[in-house]
Amino acid sequence: MHSTEGSAVYNFQYANPTRICFGAGQIASLSELIPSGSRLLVLYGGGSIKQNGVYEQLTEALAGREWLEFPGIGANPRYDQLMEAVALVKRERIDFLLAVGGGSVVDGTKFVAAAACFEGEDPWDILLDKAPIKAALPLGCVLTLPATGSESNPAAVVSRGEAKLSFYNPLVLPQFAVLDPTTTYSLPVRQVGNGVVDAFVHIIEQYLTFPVGGEVQDRLAEGLLQVLVDNGPKALSDPTDYQVRANLMWAASLALNGLIGRGVPQDWATHAIGHQLTALHGLDHAQSLAVVLPSLLRAQAAQKQEKLAQFAERVWHSSREDKALRIEEAIIRTEQFFQQMGVGTRLADYGLDERCIPAICSNLKRFGLTSLGEQQDIDPDKVARILSHAR
Ligand code: NZQ
Ligand code: ZN
């Protein structure tokens, strides 16, 4: 069979050039990773790195160099603030960016890298119109929150008012990512839960679609899901267990570094809908996913039934004979897992009810997100039904 037909793995190319420096003490390797003589800007968040020793290790690793810093990048990084960093980059002729923190800092830094070299009129067009990026400053990162996979992927998500938009470009792939699991010991319970749920949903978006015979992709996805299910709760009960943190950190990275999604259909509807919940109501990214995913899986159970049944058997070890019951068991177990990680799965958990639904649908229309999912069959009416069942 020709490989582009529906029931076989799609043709693909795969390259991931980000150098991963994994393990305790790896922040020290920054001295070799960042080119000597760089005009360096270090970007970070609201201060966690000053409390957990990461800033100190960074200062030690950068001893003898001159560098500037841009602190205060918050969750769901904001365009206006990032443009202040762009101005600083231009003023100081910065030529290397180092992001230190969670996905928001890494994403924000990617946008700064692209916006600083943008030749068009308004860098917001990178997000709004997918304006072409011809160059970007080189960047690297020290990741302190396993969740997004941003440390070794070409994506970034930036917010402005009620818009939360993403862009993708290989030019903003980090050159290196330092992944030291001990930096995650200080994560608040809420962020541990968020990280595990986000990584889980990233895998689901690339796995729970329709079968094309991608056994490698399926087995990798199922293995990573199992690691999250096994280790997530342990990170809550024993926050300084190195093995647990190491397994979660590597699993979250592999969940969205491009590998498991190559050659197979991808969904991403949960993310598209979830982003509107964050943009309009401020839910954490993973909270929004935990609300949308179970309800979406129920709404799409017919289209996804083969993979849902496989997910039930292989990840949740369901032995029910009846396929529909097996699928429902898998969705319930997924919901319970999110709740066990401390992440609410209903709109009501965040003080919302069905009154929020029309504005979410209008936002999806405003940004052209009207035929979502691997079959492009999720329109705003279906989104309204999905959210209404997630009350
Ligand atoms: O700002 P600080 O003080 O550093 O505190 C952060 C922040 O408050 C804290 N934190 C991070 N590491 C810590 C820590 N606190 C204690 N100890 C540590 N080691 O955690 C809070 C949340 O951080 P944030 O970076 O916002 O979280 P996350 O990594 O979950 O990133 C979420 C953002 O990434 C986007 C999301 O939409 C959201 O904007 N995503 C990016 C993706 C990508 N680039 O591929 C894909 C994802 O689907 C997602 O959309
Ligand atoms: Zn996500």
Side-chain angles (χ1 to χ4, degrees), residues 301-316:
Q303 294 88 324
K304 291 178 182 289
Q305 60 169 317
E306 282 192 57
K307 293 299 284 284
L308 268 168
Q310 183 178 319
F311 171 60
E313 282 160 31
R314 294 189 186 170
V315 178
W316 296 115

Side-chain angles (χ1 to χ4, degrees), residues 147-148 198-199 201-202 256 268 271 275 285 289:
T148 62
D198 191 23
V201 179
H202 292 158
L256 197 51
W268 297 107
H271 270 72
H275 282 344
H285 173 60
L289 306 177

